[in-house]
């Protein structure tokens, strides 16, 4: 599992931006930037939709005021799903990224096999990344939502 002071691996992620499919590398997303990344087990799932994403939407301006260049929400879903979920929650200030094949999630050791529910998914976590290097990691235990929320991240920045 990725830890503090680790460099993020090179990976390709996807997003719908201005109605177009975009492929983005981790270098493009994190190099020379301060980024808050949070990951959820699945778009449109209860805790993710009722608390995790809405918390970051509500605190996005305060988080960015701490010198953060971008806030990224990541899930092992496709870019169309992430785009629709972001629109439903007015997540205009958050980049909704898809890790469709879970390659990035697996590369950083944040995957969990959910079996027939959805296969490889992400555990719930948040992290602060400075120039591609992880500075803070808040990983949840399965079935919890206590340390990866927006307020905890805001307080740590």
């Amino acid at each position: 599992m990725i830890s503090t002071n680790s460099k993020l691996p090179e990976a390709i992620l996807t997003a719908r931006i201005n109605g177009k499919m975009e492929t983005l590398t981790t270098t493009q997303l994190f190099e020379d930037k301060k980024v808050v990344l949070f990951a959820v087990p699945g778009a449109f799932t209860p805790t993710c939709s009722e608390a995790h994403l809405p918390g970051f939407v509500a605190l996005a301006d305060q988080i960015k005021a701490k010198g953060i260049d971008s806030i990224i929400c990541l899930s092992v879903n496709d870019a169309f799903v992430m785009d629709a979920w972001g629109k439903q929650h007015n997540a205009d200030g958050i980049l909704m990224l898809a890790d469709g094949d879970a390659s990035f999630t697996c590369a950083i050791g944040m995957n969990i096999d959910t079996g027939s529910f959805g296969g490889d998914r992400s555990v719930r976590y948040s992290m602060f990344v400075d120039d591609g290097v992880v500075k803070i990691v808040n990983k949840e235990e399965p079935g919890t939502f206590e340390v990866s929320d927006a307020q905890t991240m805001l307080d740590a920045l």
Side-chain angles (χ1 to χ4, degrees):
M1 180 181 84
I2 197 138
S3 59
T4 56
N5 298 316
S6 298
K7 183 137 177 76
L8 290 178
E10 189 61 33
I12 297 173
L13 302 161
T14 57
R16 295 272 300 163
I17 300 172
N18 298 321
K20 295 180 181 168
M21 189 68 71
E22 300 281 344
T23 56
L24 303 162
T25 67
T26 49
T27 298
Q28 289 171 299
L29 293 164
F30 298 100
E31 188 174 63
D32 298 322
K33 295 180 182 107
K34 294 181 186 305
V35 179
V36 168
L37 166 70
F38 68 100
V40 298
F44 294 104
T45 57
T47 301
C48 305
S49 292
E50 294 165 11
H52 209 173
L53 177 58
F56 278 94
V57 169
L59 295 178
D61 290 340
Q62 291 177 57
I63 290 170
K64 288 181 179 176
K66 297 269 189 165
I68 300 302
D69 296 301
S70 66
I71 302 170
I72 296 172
C73 176
L74 179 81
S75 186
V76 179
N77 287 110
D78 65 58
F80 295 103
V81 168
M82 292 302 289
D83 183 53
W85 189 44
K87 286 178 180 171
Q88 184 184 61
H89 287 276
N90 299 312
D92 299 329
I94 297 172
L95 178 58
M96 304 297 287
L97 277 183
D99 183 18
D101 63 357
S103 59
F104 174 76
T105 300
C106 291
I108 64 170
M110 290 291 205
N111 59 303
I112 186 169
D113 184 358
T114 64
S116 62
F117 173 76
D120 260 333
R121 292 286 181 145
S122 179
V123 297
R124 186 182 307 283
Y125 68 89
S126 65
M127 65 173 64
F128 166 58
V129 181
D130 187 357
D131 192 22
V133 177
V134 177
K135 297 300 182 181
I136 299 171
V137 180
N138 300 316
K139 179 181 177 267
E140 299 285 356
E141 293 301 317
T144 65
F145 180 56
E146 300 168 353
V147 298
S148 65
D149 61 291
Q151 187 65 56
T152 299
M153 181 56 72
L154 178 62
D155 293 344
L157 293 172

